Amino acid sequence: MNKKKDATTRLFDLLQFGEFGGVNPSITDSSTYTFLNPDDMTETFLGHTQGCFLYSRHWNPSNKYLADALAAIENTESAWVTASGMAAITCAILQICNSGDHLITSVTTYGGTYAFLKNYLRKFNIEVSFVDITNHQSVEEEVRANTKLIYTESVTNPLLQVSDIPALSLIARKHGVRLLVDNTFSPLIISPANLGADYVVYSLTKFINGKNDCVAGAICGDQKFIDDLTSVNSGTAMLLGPVLDPLRSSGILKNMHTLHLRLKQHSKNAMYLAERLKELNLKVIYPGLPEHPQHRLMKRIMNPEFGFGGMMALVVDSVMTANRLMREMQQKQVGYLAVSLGYFKTLFSCSGKSTSSEIPEDIQRKMGLYEGLVRFSVGLDNDIENTFNRIKRCLKELKII
Ligand code: PLP
């Protein structure tokens, strides 16, 4: 653990040599591993042998390289990579909470996470309180004797609320509960573990990989937590088995080394679009705008060189207008009408009818998710002024401005 070095320096300092001296580590092509001594195999099953690989669902060299790189970025002792972001979230939660426990979550989370917390955890008799995560009093009021966990996204999907991780961490510590943060929207920008989160989860599918060519996730935390997750007897990750394919982890590892450059460009472009769209008197949600409710908080907790991130929302009057706008923008080559984020091209979707559709409409309205909210994942466009002009033409043609 090294708080003095920043995330990119910790990653830069991590030299991972290939098996035969290649600059990229060799890709694991084995599901099982040989032992010269049967006793070592026994010890490995008992979790005692360091450095031995047993079976690829447990650990494999490619996944270990990627996990080490993520732990370096997050400044955690260890990490484990998963076959999806949802696998990371569900395994981490099920490792922390047992039947009869309770957790507190932000009501604004990715729709899949919301559905897991609302509909699926019931099977395990785990109670969930949904709160406005920016209201710390309401978070603390929900803490009960059986509360084990506070869960939030550092920048929430899709409303882009910013979680005050240091304040939530103080509440968690005071009551002896754990703080788990999904940092999918703000890798490098926010360092949750440095700010007091116990565990950090990711959908690597998004900015970290940046290519939209695979689905993957990660759980970062202390060594004991990762050992517990991968225990052959009781580890959620080991027993539910959502292992990432080594070919994919080697690709993601290579993409991680350009993450800092990509994020700066995503942020620069998103800031440009947010400011220019705001000048047209449109309702824009972006943490980089001074009127964003958590703008000052974000400035306090962010690593400023990476900007305010690539996610932005534009609110129009209805789903119908949103749909017409998105169709037009795709036709004018602004980007793709598609879910997901962190891609080199701009992606846009109407959150209430797509990635947040798992959240009932009355709750969407209550939490401030307008039906005409179009979420943008702003791409790496070299000429963002040109992109803005295309969007403006769409807005004019549809008489939105
Ligand atoms: N967390 C956030 C914030 C997301 O937006 C998503 C997916 O959109 C996930 C987690 C789930 O990740 P995956 O699709 O990789 O399972």
Side-chain angles (χ1 to χ4, degrees):
M1 307 273 281
N2 190 338
K3 278 199 182 184
K4 287 206 184 92
K5 286 186 186 176
D6 64 23
T8 48
T9 309
R10 286 191 300 269
L11 183 63
F12 182 79
D13 284 351
L14 186 73
L15 289 186
Q16 298 175 311
F17 293 94
E19 199 178 356
F20 300 103
V23 290
N24 293 310
S26 313
I27 301 169
T28 306
D29 195 29
S30 297
S31 55
T32 192
Y33 302 83
T34 54
F35 285 81
L36 296 177
N37 178 356
D39 291 341
D40 287 345
M41 182 183 269
T42 309
E43 288 295 309
T44 306
F45 264 96
L46 293 171
H48 297 159
T49 313
Q50 292 295 316
C52 282
F53 291 97
L54 177 67
Y55 185 64
S56 273
R57 168 158 47 83
H58 181 239
W59 273 109
N60 62 69
S62 294
N63 290 8
K64 179 84 171 80
Y65 286 124
L66 178 59
D68 287 349
L70 284 157
I73 279 198
E74 285 312 308
N75 206 18
T76 53
E77 284 176 353
S78 191
W80 200 76
V81 292
T82 56
S84 70
M86 280 311 295
I89 294 164
T90 55
C91 283
I93 291 176
L94 291 175
Q95 190 65 34
I96 298 163
C97 298
N98 292 308
S99 175
D101 287 342
H102 167 249
L103 70 88
I104 301 166
T105 177
S106 165
V107 67
T108 52
T109 55
Y110 162 59
T113 308
Y114 179 91
F116 173 72
L117 296 170
K118 180 89 183 167
N119 308 329
Y120 203 86
L121 278 184
R122 280 190 202 151
K123 290 189 184 194
F124 298 91
N125 188 30
I126 296 169
E127 291 177 296
V128 182
S129 297
F130 292 87
V131 296
D132 171 359
I133 206 73
T134 63
N135 180 343
H136 301 150
Q137 194 184 336
S138 78
V139 174
E140 192 155 13
E141 276 170 9
E142 284 300 328
V143 177
R144 308 173 192 167
N146 60 343
T147 306
K148 286 283 160 23
L149 178 68
I150 298 173
Y151 178 82
T152 192
E153 293 168 358
S154 20
V155 178
T156 67
N157 185 358
L159 290 181
L160 310 178
Q161 284 181 323
V162 182
S163 297
D164 190 340
I165 298 168
L168 293 170
S169 157
L170 281 179
I171 297 171
R173 301 242 173 291
K174 182 171 157 196
H175 296 280
V177 309
R178 301 276 151 177
L179 176 62
L180 171 62
V181 175
D182 179 341
N183 201 35
T184 298
F185 275 29
S186 47
L188 296 181
I189 299 170
I190 294 178
S191 304
N194 283 352
L195 296 170
D198 295 288
Y199 315 116
V200 185
V201 284
Y202 275 105
S203 166
L204 302 179
T205 317
K206 313 292 165 35
F207 288 101
I208 292 193
N209 186 46
K211 299 273 171 65
N212 258 294
D213 55 3
C214 72
V215 174
I219 306 167
C220 306
D222 59 69
Q223 191 61 53
K224 181 173 180 318
F225 186 64
I226 301 300
D227 288 347
D228 288 350
L229 267 168
T230 53
S231 156
V232 295
N233 290 308
S234 55
T236 314
M238 177 65 181
L239 299 177
L240 298 187
V243 69
L244 179 59
D245 184 84
L247 183 60
R248 289 307 187 182
S249 53
S250 71
I252 299 167
L253 178 61
K254 283 173 275 193
N255 292 337
M256 257 180 85
H257 287 275
T258 57
L259 176 65
H260 58 299
L261 297 171
R262 290 187 277 115
L263 265 180
K264 286 177 191 178
Q265 187 72 8
H266 282 300
S267 293
K268 188 171 141 230
N269 285 352
M271 188 68 163
Y272 181 91
L273 289 186
E275 283 177 336
R276 297 296 305 271
L277 289 166
K278 193 182 93 172
E279 283 166 14
L280 300 175
N281 287 325
L282 293 164
K283 182 168 174 52
V284 181
I285 304 173
Y286 185 63
L289 294 177
E291 61 270 32
H292 185 284
Q294 289 92 38
H295 175 67
R296 284 174 58 194
L297 164 66
M298 178 104 178
K299 277 175 85 169
R300 182 156 52 81
I301 65 171
M302 71 194 282
N303 303 313
E305 65 177 305
F306 302 108
F308 291 89
M311 302 304 294
M312 182 199 78
L314 172 66
V315 183
V316 293
D317 66 357
S318 65
V319 180
M320 210 166 56
T321 310
N323 288 344
R324 286 163 62 214
L325 176 63
M326 292 190 298
R327 214 175 301 131
E328 199 58 34
M329 287 195 297
Q330 183 161 252
Q331 266 168 19
K332 293 211 169 21
Q333 287 141 318
V334 170
Y336 293 113
L337 197 183
V339 297
S340 201
L341 50 125
Y343 189 45
F344 43 79
K345 292 259 194 189
T346 296
L347 304 177
F348 36 83
S349 55
C350 181
S351 298
K353 295 288 175 200
S354 58
T355 51
S356 296
S357 58
E358 296 90 341
I359 304 170
E361 284 196 357
D362 58 322
I363 297 180
Q364 287 190 21
R365 293 301 94 79
K366 221 156 84 194
M367 70 196 220
L369 206 178
Y370 308 94
E371 62 163 338
L373 184 144
V374 179
R375 189 191 73 180
F376 283 73
S377 168
V378 181
L380 300 175
D381 318 15
N382 192 40
D383 185 354
I384 194 67
E385 190 182 347
N386 175 47
T387 308
F388 170 73
N389 287 332
R390 290 182 190 193
I391 298 175
K392 196 170 156 188
R393 247 181 288 139
C394 300
L395 291 164
K396 273 192 175 154
E397 275 174 31
L398 297 171
K399 301 194 185 342
I400 298 172
I401 54 170

